[in-house]
Amino acid sequence: MDAYVSDLMSKMTVEEKIGQLNLPVAGFSMTGTKESKGVEEKIRAGQVGGIFGAYGPEKVRKIQEIAVNESRLKIPLIFGLDVIHGHRTIFPIPLGMSATWEPALLERASRIAATEASAEGLNWTFSPMVDIARDPRWGRISEGNGEDPYLGGVLGAAMVKGYQGDNLSANNTIMSCVKHYGMYGAGEAGREYNTVDMSRLSMYNYYLPPYKATVEAGTGSMMSSFNVVDGIPATGNRWLLTNVLRNEWKFNGFVVSDYTSVSEMVNHGMGDLQEVSALALRAGLDMDMVSEGLLITLKKSLDEGKVTQQEIDQACRRILEAKYKLGLFEDPFRYVSEDRAAKEIMTPENRQASREIAAHSFVLLKNDKQILPLQKKGTIALIGPFANNKRDMLGTWVIGGEWEKSVSVMEGVQAQAGANARITYAKGSNITEDKEFINRLNFFNQPMVTLDGRTPEAMIQEAVNTARNADVVVAVVGESQSMSGESSSRSNIDIPESQKNLLKALVKTGKPVVLVLFTGRPLTLTWEDANVSAILNVWAPGTEAGNAIADALFGAYNPSGKLTATFPRTVGQIPLYYNHLNTGRPWDGKESTKFKSNYLDESNDPLYPFGYGLSYTTFEYGDLQLSKTELTGAETLTATVKVTNTGKYDGEETVQLYIGDPAASVSRPVKELKGFQKIQLKAGESKDVSFSITPEQLSFYNSDLRYDWEAGEFNIYVGTNSRDVKAGKVNWKK
Ligand code: BGC
């Protein structure tokens, strides 16, 4: 590769080298307001390194032909797209997939996504997003793996493996692009693109680990984020892009900016386009998405001594290396296959995988009197704006996804209900009645949320009549597709008012109400939790939504998902996360007390803690058994609990290991996830679940940012979620 790339670069002009650093968008883009102009001419002129937004064999072939037939050096283009949770066959949104706690499932979904995407000419995806998110107001919490650094790293690495496989140059693997480096999930007030300000200690201990884990998993590329880090935008931040990423973590792929994040540095107050472009290159950025700052200004900056030839060469080399690794020099059309596109996209197997993964992602939040699973008899009323709806099954970021091909809840339930059950339906309410809100949800003038012409009262009345004639009500409510995702921050995270009014009217009928919740984020469900019989959180399940939901509702699959982000009781508690510090005046866990760290008007407790999720069966945890309580140095501690399925159904349980370090040189979280195992237990069955603990799991970054462990006492916890745990203590000497 080195020799090939050096030879090629020896033939390139400075302008052609700079051209490789340019990434325009082709055609329709979902994410920005700036468009790329004159792309074909630029390709001919050697001013384009890659294209994003173009897919489909015919389209990609046509563009690639321009590059390899009409440009001077015939360098092939790399083709990227946001393939976030599936390409054509759509899987649950990432936050949903993370709730499976099954890395193998995320790897499988990413493998299928790569297979479908690569058949349509793509060889690069802007995924996974591994930003830690502690603020559910932020709409992009839906795109990541939640709030935990360890779980986030394990799941992100699994996705990288799924996309890239073992051989990047195979025609069905694609390069991953880990984003948004870094700390993008920590924008103040959950507001999109907002300022990030945090200590290096927090970065190293909580926010950086997932990026690091994906670098270790071999991601070929990374995306720099929009936000500032320590006052300098990530895209121009040398400490982030070079010191940490390349020098500390030994990353050897390339870094692309986010959409116009180079030129946005002008707004951040870093200088004019020439200055910010030079800043980005010097910081270690290799490719400029859409802003063309590098393309337009780098030659001038070189002539004026603001950047060096070596800096340009290095960035160009990294882009060419990526193309080499993808096998594009050998065959620029390797990823273009009409034949594969016809045979390997949306196959029954892919749809089946999506259905299974979706079922595993559902989180049962409440199940009073075992109302679920539903009996296949009597009258089941399906009510709500998502009950007979295909569009909102897919969730955010589905560029290649075709919502018309998704399975509605109505279709799924009808297919499984059998001859003895009657399914009735009423829409019950609009997604929201707020016209201003609807305008914002329907961005780019797409009719994503439409209004039923009837009055809210008339719709509710119809729903109440339907409910009264039923034995059980399944209320399918929540957030629509564009209520979460990019640029979809919310200051109020309730179920929208029109739907809440519907729920209140349904509860008033006295019929049992099962809430099937669509959402891209943790919502505030305090009223719902107190008033409905059951809550099954299905996120946005993807193409097979209705089938997977019916699998769970009727018990063909027993729900096993666990939350990866805390559900607060009220928006005023945010940010609320399980791995918080203790403070000097900790809350007593019961009531609000003067001069303690608590609220006058609300408990500190979340509604549902991190790691929480029920099953149709029940699991009992025996006491925690520790192999030793006194340890020295590199010894291994074994922590074991007996878990028993004490209910009537076979089921799966994710057993979680947490560790607390109550005395150290820096204040440490009350507990941190350090391991987990998802096990299957038949009704009545017991299993001993053991975790091996070594000093690695005790290690953290201290105030000198040195990674090590400190001798002393440690609390070991094993349990069903981050709150309900069995505890033990050990003393560990150096
Ligand atoms: C988003 C990225 C995305 C890019 C390209 C940006 O606005 O922040 O996540 O990959 O657009 O679509």
Side-chain angles (χ1 to χ4, degrees), residues 118 169-171 326-328 330-337 340:
S118 59
S169 70
N171 70 356
L326 286 165
L328 288 170
E330 225 172 70
D331 178 5
F333 302 99
R334 165 161 299 188
Y335 300 90
V336 182
S337 169
R340 281 188 50 219

Side-chain angles (χ1 to χ4, degrees), residues 376-390:
K376 292 184 180 174
K377 62 180 194 208
T379 300
I380 301 170
L382 282 184
I383 294 177
F386 302 101
N388 191 16
N389 165 328
K390 283 179 181 280

